[in-house]
Amino acid sequence: MSKSYRKNIDYRFILPIILLYTIHLLIIKIPILSGSFGLLEFIIAGYLLYKKKVSYLLIYLLVIIAGTFDVPAFVTGEVGSVVYTFLFLPAIKGYHFYLLICLPALFILPKLKKLKHLKKEYRQTYTLMSWVCRIPVLGIIFGLIGLLFNENNILHIDWISYFIKDLITYSTLSLLAIYICYLLLTDSAFYFLLRKTLIAILISIPICAVLSLLLKQNGWYGSEKILLVPLTLFFTPLIICFAFYEEYNMKKTAISLFIICLILQFNYSNALGGKS
């Protein structure tokens, strides 16, 4: 095994992520366990934030979010049902997550103006960060235009709650993207940490999907049984991209996992393709 292979496929990342996602899989239908485990995950995230270890916090959040069941109806089969995860805890719902994402802004956003000297050297990352900063503003503008023209008769529903909810959601995701861009520009070690983590997630998700199949864990799409798996399985075929870059030296692994992902998504009913 080559050194570059060991650098990219790090089992110190992959095995804990597989274990974590398997735990999510096994406890998601047991509220007291899923709620308690979600609370534990939140406490760990809170500790990383308290210590101002933003790079580790972001990596941690990426791992947790990628393996979370975020649509309760696909787990229980009932619209309006609730399942407890890191993103949705008893009593506090999802507000803790918004708090975790917003607090780092206090000491990161003021520093963005100091990065202008990196604009030429890291043009693509800097441009991405600049546009991500504009997304919430553009969302508000286009949202207000839609309300002004009563698009799709939107004024006849509870548009205020939907508007605020979507604004908070997309603003939160924008902040997450801004933090990642900021660290890519200011912390050279973060790039390698992020790369290892994303590869580990892309490898772990299909493996956990196979485990879900073997353990006969099922979710629901309406009245039909489906494969119980995080919706991030939809993105895992992208691992094929790594097969075309020699620097990753993981062609066989990427192709094998790509085939597994396609088999899972086309041969087994899952929420990604509806009632397949």
Side-chain angles (χ1 to χ4, degrees):
M1 186 182 291
S2 68
K3 290 183 179 180
S4 62
Y5 188 86
R6 289 198 298 268
K7 285 181 181 179
N8 290 304
I9 299 183
D10 193 333
Y11 291 100
R12 293 173 301 175
F13 282 64
I14 296 170
L15 294 179
I17 291 176
I18 291 175
L19 176 61
L20 176 66
Y21 291 174
T22 303
I23 292 174
H24 284 178
L25 183 70
L26 294 175
I27 68 174
I28 189 61
K29 295 182 181 180
I30 308 174
I32 190 170
L33 293 182
S34 60
S36 300
F37 196 75
L39 180 60
L40 174 62
E41 291 174 328
F42 169 59
I43 292 172
I44 294 173
Y47 173 78
L48 293 173
L49 178 62
Y50 173 74
K51 290 294 184 178
K52 293 186 178 180
K53 296 183 178 181
V54 180
S55 59
Y56 291 108
L57 174 62
L58 292 180
I59 293 298
Y60 178 76
L61 290 177
L62 286 175
V63 171
I64 297 295
I65 293 170
T68 296
F69 296 90
D70 54 340
V71 182
F74 295 152
V75 177
T76 65
E78 299 177 5
V79 177
S81 60
V82 172
V83 293
Y84 296 125
T85 67
F86 168 76
L87 295 176
F88 192 93
L89 292 175
I92 59 176
K93 299 182 179 179
Y95 296 110
H96 63 292
F97 175 68
Y98 299 134
L99 187 64
L100 278 174
I101 297 299
C102 291
L103 286 178
L106 297 176
F107 48 88
I108 288 182
L109 294 185
K111 298 178 181 179
L112 295 183
K113 293 182 178 181
K114 299 179 182 179
L115 301 180
K116 288 186 178 180
H117 65 285
L118 299 173
K119 186 175 182 178
K120 291 184 178 180
E121 187 177 358
Y122 302 102
R123 182 172 57 85
Q124 292 179 328
T125 304
Y126 189 89
T127 301
L128 174 61
M129 185 176 67
S130 300
W131 276 104
V132 169
C133 290
R134 297 185 179 101
I135 287 177
V137 179
L138 292 173
I140 293 173
I141 293 173
F142 286 110
L144 292 176
I145 291 174
L147 292 172
L148 180 63
F149 290 97
N150 194 23
E151 184 179 9
N152 294 324
N153 206 25
I154 193 172
L155 295 178
H156 286 76
I157 63 173
D158 184 17
W159 63 268
I160 295 180
S161 61
Y162 285 106
F163 188 83
I164 294 175
K165 181 180 178 181
D166 287 345
L167 179 61
I168 292 174
T169 299
Y170 288 107
S171 296
T172 302
L173 294 175
S174 295
L175 282 174
L176 189 61
I178 290 170
Y179 300 158
I180 291 174
C181 290
Y182 170 79
L183 288 170
L184 287 172
L185 290 170
T186 59
D187 185 354
S188 58
F190 180 73
Y191 164 74
F192 296 101
L193 184 61
L194 179 63
R195 186 168 78 170
K196 279 187 179 183
T197 303
L198 293 177
I199 291 174
I201 290 173
L202 289 172
I203 291 174
S204 300
I205 288 288
I207 291 175
C208 288
V210 172
L211 288 175
S212 177
L213 191 63
L214 294 176
L215 295 172
K216 297 182 179 180
Q217 297 294 308
N218 65 273
W220 296 89
Y221 188 91
S223 59
E224 182 180 349
K225 287 185 178 181
I226 59 174
L227 182 65
L228 184 62
V229 63
L231 296 181
T232 41
L233 179 67
F234 177 81
F235 299 101
T236 51
L238 291 173
I239 198 169
I240 191 63
C241 297
F242 295 102
F244 304 104
Y245 292 89
E246 292 185 3
E247 63 177 290
Y248 293 100
N249 195 19
M250 51 183 288
K251 186 173 183 178
K252 292 181 180 178
T253 301
I255 293 175
S256 299
L257 287 171
F258 174 73
I259 293 172
I260 290 173
C261 291
L262 292 185
I263 292 173
L264 287 169
Q265 294 199 32
F266 286 107
N267 282 18
Y268 298 94
S269 294
N270 60 80
L272 304 172
K275 295 182 179 179
S276 53

